[in-house]
Amino acid sequence: MRLLTHNMLSCNIKGVSKGFPLGIEVAKLETKTVEFNPQFLRHSFPKIEWKAFQEAAKTLGVNDLPEQVEPSMLDDDDFLRRFHHALLEIHLEEGDLVCPETGRKFPVAKGIPNMLLNEDEV
Amino acid sequence: MKLKQLESELGHLVQFQSPKIELEQYPTGAHIASRMMYMAESNFGDICGKSIADLGCGCGTLGVAASLLGASYVIGFDQDLAALDTAQENCRDLEIDMDFVQCDVKSLGLTRISVDTVVMNPPFGTRRKGADMEFLSVALKIARTAIYSLHKSSTRQHVKRAALQDLGAKTAEVLFELRFDLKSLYKFHKKQELDIAVDLWRFTV
C-alpha cells in the first residue's frame, strides 16, 4: 500500500472517535517508479490531509516534504516530484498500521493491510 | 489500448482458485469486463488519469482493466485474502501498480475513502438479500463522479428507485444489458442458472 491509500484509511472500531491518521510501523518498504503525472497530482492535492501525509512520509524516511503547503506550490516542478514520489512510489510491504486512539494494530503483509474488524469491534 | 487487446489481456488473468459461495464469488469475464471498462473510458472519460476504487475486487479484473486503460491510481477492496493474493499476482505479471485493502466493503462508507470513479461487480444478493444495494450505497458515498456496476436485469426497477430515491444518486442509467455466463462454478448450479441477464449501470453522484 502507498501513502495515498494511507491518507484515506482510518480505524472504524465502534466507539472510536479519532481513528485518523493511522500510525505506521515499518518492517519493509519497496520503491517502484511510477510515471510522473502533474495533472493527477494537482487533481489529488485538495483531498490530501497534508499533515497526516507529511508525517507518514517522514515515518517512511521521506524528509523533504514541507510542513505547510499552499496551492501555489503545485506550479513548482521540484515540489511536484517530491509529492509524486511520496504519494505513489513508496510501498509499505510489511508492518503495522496503528489506531491513534486505541493502539489497535492492523497488520500489513505482502503490501495488503488487514482492516477487518473482530465481531466485538463492529 | 484497443478493446480487443484489453479483452485479450484480461482473458489471461488468474481467477478464483476455490470460490467461496457465501461471498458470491464468481469471476467477471474478460468479455464483459473489457466492454464495461472500455465504455467507461471511451464514452465518458471516467478512467484515464483518474483515481479508481474496485469494490469487492476479487481477483482484480476490473481494477486491472482500469490500470491498463491509464488510471492514475487504483485501489481494490475485498474481504477475502486468497482472492487479493491472486489479484496481486495478476498485477505483478502485468507490471501494474494497484493497492489492495482487506476489509468489509460495508465499513467503507464510514471512512475518508474518496475516488473519482468506482467500478464493481457486486454480489447480486442472491445468497444474502440486499448485498448488492449495500455495495451501491457505499459506492455512492466514496465516488466523486461516477459508478459503474453490474446488477441483475430482473431488479432493474428496484435498483433505479433505490439509487435515485434512497441512496442519493443524481442519475442512474442502464448502459446495456448482457448475458452473464456463470459457468458451472458451484455444484448446486442448475442449468437454467448458468446464464443470467445483467445490466451494466452508470450512476453519477
Side-chain angles (χ1 to χ4, degrees), chain A residues 9-101:
Chain A
L9 291 179
S10 52
C11 170
N12 298 313
I13 292 176
K14 196 177 174 192
V16 167
S17 59
K18 195 186 164 294
F20 177 87
L22 296 165
I24 304 177
E25 290 178 2
V26 181
K28 186 182 164 204
L29 296 175
E30 250 177 53
T31 304
K32 291 182 211 161
T33 309
V34 172
E35 199 182 334
F36 180 58
N37 182 347
Q39 212 180 332
F40 179 72
L41 295 170
R42 290 189 190 106
H43 172 71
S44 304
F45 179 79
K47 292 283 170 190
I48 300 291
E49 190 71 50
W50 189 266
K51 191 168 181 291
F53 174 63
Q54 192 253 350
E55 281 175 7
K58 263 204 282 193
T59 313
L60 270 47
V62 177
N63 296 305
D64 61 359
L65 291 174
E67 272 180 39
Q68 303 287 334
V69 278
E70 45 190 281
S72 67
M73 289 178 171
L74 295 171
D75 297 324
D76 176 2
D77 190 67
D78 181 55
F79 168 75
L80 284 178
R81 284 185 188 275
R82 281 180 277 152
F83 179 31
H84 166 78
H85 176 67
L87 191 71
L88 297 171
E89 293 192 321
I90 308 173
H91 297 247
L92 177 64
E93 283 297 306
E94 305 285 336
D96 287 294
L97 302 178
V98 187
C99 170
E101 191 171 310

